């Protein structure tokens, strides 16, 4: 059986879909997947052992210049690639109108997705041949696992979902694996940031542990923040700009990770690394870290400024002790 998955973004949503593939792989021997995903996250699906082909799409970029000649040519090439195969089943796990209209509608195969009461955008269900009711009152990982089980005709396992990507990195760990921490300080929304003064206090409190602290970044303003956080601390390393796979390698080798609510926090969970995620305005219940050794620290009054460095340091020391080789 060959299945097409339509799950284009965001990073967290793409990662949250991986355990559903693992369920299907165990339930249906020989099943293989192709996956349509936004170009920025195209590395992720290929880490899973059941994925054959990744079909990058650039809906976010195309929308900026929809009628540009380059964008039109890219869309033609994408459509040709998408329609080059007849799939046994197409599963739209996105539940959005734009992906259903621009991708799922054009694909070849019986199209499955959530019904109008379950999908994030109810009208997306218009483009599905088979619609499934999936409860919204469960974690995003479990919602996708349920959708796959109903679409492919097996019982959803009761055990915790397995991302099945940690093994991809076992033979590519950094030379200093287990001798450092990673602090994921960057996120998109201002009210999801932990104050820089708190990060510096935490960095200072971790110095006696003998573990180095690594600070990754993506955009230039995140680079500048990392430099400010590291200033004056010899045990802190500001990493160079890395690909997503290279960041995953750094996360896979970390003794522990402290993160704000960001896509890389979900990547840490998918890699089964111990992680403390700091939550302010968002509720970790339905979209928080899913996996082994994941702890959510919710700020008082949903205000991250009120979550002290002392509180985080105490939790982190316990995690480090529990995960000492």
């Amino acid at each position: 059986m060959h299945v097409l998955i339509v799950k284009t973004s965001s990073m967290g949503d793409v990662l949250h879909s991986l355990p559903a593939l693992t369920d299907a792989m165990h339930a249906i021997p020989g099943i293989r997947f192709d996956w349509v995903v936004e170009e920025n996250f195209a590395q992720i699906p290929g880490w899973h052992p059941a994925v054959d082909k990744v079909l990058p799409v650039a809906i976010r970029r195309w929308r900026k210049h929809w009628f540009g000649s380059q964008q039109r040519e890219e869309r033609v090439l994408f459509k040709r690639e998408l329609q080059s195969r007849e799939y046994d089943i197409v599963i739209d796990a996105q539940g959005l109108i734009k992906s259903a209209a621009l991708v799922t509608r054009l694909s070849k195969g019986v199209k499955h997705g959530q019904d109008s009461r379950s999908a994030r955008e109810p009208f997306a269900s218009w483009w599905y041949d088979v619609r499934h009711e999936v409860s919204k009152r469960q974690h995003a990982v479990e919602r996708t696992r349920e959708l796959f089980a109903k679409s492919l005709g097996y019982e959803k396992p009761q055990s915790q979902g397995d991302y099945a990507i940690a093994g991809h990195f076992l033979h590519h760990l950094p030379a200093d694996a287990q001798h450092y921490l990673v602090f994921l300080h960057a996120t998109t929304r201002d009210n999801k940031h932990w104050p820089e003064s708190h990060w510096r206090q935490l960095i200072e409190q971790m110095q006696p542990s003998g573990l180095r602290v690594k600070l990754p970044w993506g955009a230039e303003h995140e680079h500048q923040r990392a430099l400010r956080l590291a200033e004056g601390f010899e045990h802190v390393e500001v990493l160079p700009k890395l690909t997503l796979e290279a960041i995953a390698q750094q996360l896979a080798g970390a003794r522990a990770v402290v993160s704000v609510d960001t896509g890389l926090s979900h990547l840490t969970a998918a890699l089964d690394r111990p992680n403390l995620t700091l939550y302010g305005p968002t509720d970790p219940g339905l979209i928080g870290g899913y996996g082994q050794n994941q702890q959510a620290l919710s700020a008082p009054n949903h205000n991250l400024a009120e979550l002290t460095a002392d509180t985080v340091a105490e939790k982190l020391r316990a995690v480090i002790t529990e995960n000492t080789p």
Side-chain angles (χ1 to χ4, degrees):
M1 177 181 285
H2 212 113
V3 178
L4 178 69
I5 303 169
V6 180
K7 187 69 165 182
T8 59
S9 62
S10 60
M11 186 191 300
D13 289 343
V14 172
L15 289 161
H16 284 161
S17 302
L18 294 170
L21 276 71
T22 308
D23 291 346
M25 183 175 68
H26 292 313
I28 306 172
I31 192 170
R32 304 301 298 171
F33 295 93
D34 291 353
W35 191 325
V36 179
V37 65
E38 273 284 344
E39 57 187 359
N40 291 342
F41 311 124
Q43 291 178 295
I44 297 173
W47 300 337
H48 195 283
V51 173
D52 276 348
K53 184 192 293 185
V54 179
L55 286 74
V57 70
I59 295 173
R60 291 180 174 181
R61 180 166 53 80
W62 292 342
R63 284 165 58 189
K64 297 177 181 177
H65 303 284
W66 188 258
F67 298 105
S69 58
Q70 177 183 336
Q71 287 74 21
R72 288 201 304 269
E73 182 179 354
E74 288 180 358
R75 292 200 301 275
V76 168
L77 292 174
F78 169 74
K79 181 179 178 181
R80 185 180 304 162
E81 179 74 6
L82 178 68
Q83 296 183 332
S84 65
R85 177 167 200 149
E86 179 91 24
Y87 292 95
D88 297 299
I89 287 178
V90 177
I91 301 178
D92 186 322
Q94 194 76 30
L96 297 179
I97 293 172
K98 64 180 180 181
S99 52
L102 297 175
V103 179
T104 306
R105 176 179 64 89
L106 301 175
S107 62
K108 294 181 178 180
V110 179
K111 301 167 180 62
H112 289 247
Q114 299 171 25
D115 65 18
S116 60
R117 291 168 296 186
S118 309
R120 288 161 65 182
E121 295 181 354
F123 289 155
S125 64
W126 286 0
W127 285 281
Y128 308 149
D129 300 313
V130 184
R131 303 170 182 87
H132 302 283
E133 182 176 0
V134 178
S135 172
K136 293 182 177 180
R137 302 181 70 177
Q138 55 184 332
H139 193 280
V141 169
E142 299 300 336
R143 283 172 52 80
T144 306
R145 294 178 76 193
E146 183 177 334
L147 173 62
F148 272 57
K150 289 182 174 179
S151 299
L152 296 170
Y154 59 84
E155 288 290 325
K156 188 186 87 166
Q158 296 302 307
S159 57
Q160 186 178 54
D162 178 7
Y163 294 94
I165 66 170
H168 177 84
F169 298 94
L170 285 179
H171 303 295
H172 305 283
L173 295 176
D176 57 347
Q178 293 296 315
H179 294 288
Y180 62 87
L181 308 169
V182 175
F183 288 175
L184 300 174
H185 56 92
T187 188
T188 51
R189 284 168 44 187
D190 288 344
N191 61 354
K192 292 166 68 174
H193 279 290
W194 202 37
E196 290 184 23
S197 59
H198 291 29
W199 279 117
R200 284 184 57 83
Q201 290 172 34
L202 180 63
I203 288 170
E204 183 175 11
Q205 292 197 45
M206 287 302 105
Q207 192 163 6
S209 72
L211 297 170
R212 292 186 60 77
V213 174
K214 296 188 179 184
L215 302 176
W217 55 275
E220 181 55 31
H221 69 279
E222 296 169 355
H223 183 208
Q224 294 303 315
R225 182 191 303 113
L227 291 173
R228 291 193 298 271
L229 296 181
E231 186 176 1
F233 294 117
E234 293 185 358
H235 67 297
V236 179
E237 177 185 358
V238 176
L239 295 172
K241 190 168 186 178
L242 301 174
T243 65
L244 188 55
E245 175 134 359
I247 292 175
Q249 290 171 349
Q250 292 292 333
L251 292 171
R255 178 80 64 84
V257 178
V258 179
S259 61
V260 288
D261 182 12
T262 180
L264 292 179
S265 177
H266 297 296
L267 178 54
T268 305
L271 294 168
D272 296 330
R273 298 316 303 148
N275 183 23
L276 297 177
T277 306
L278 316 182
Y279 289 94
T282 48
D283 179 3
L286 300 181
I287 58 171
Y290 178 102
Q292 301 178 29
N293 302 313
Q294 303 303 299
Q295 295 188 43
L297 294 181
S298 294
N301 303 312
H302 305 290
N303 181 359
L304 275 168
E306 297 187 28
L307 182 60
T308 68
D310 288 342
T311 298
V312 178
E314 181 180 358
K315 294 284 187 181
L316 182 55
R317 289 189 194 99
V319 170
I320 293 170
T321 299
E322 292 171 6
N323 292 276
T324 299

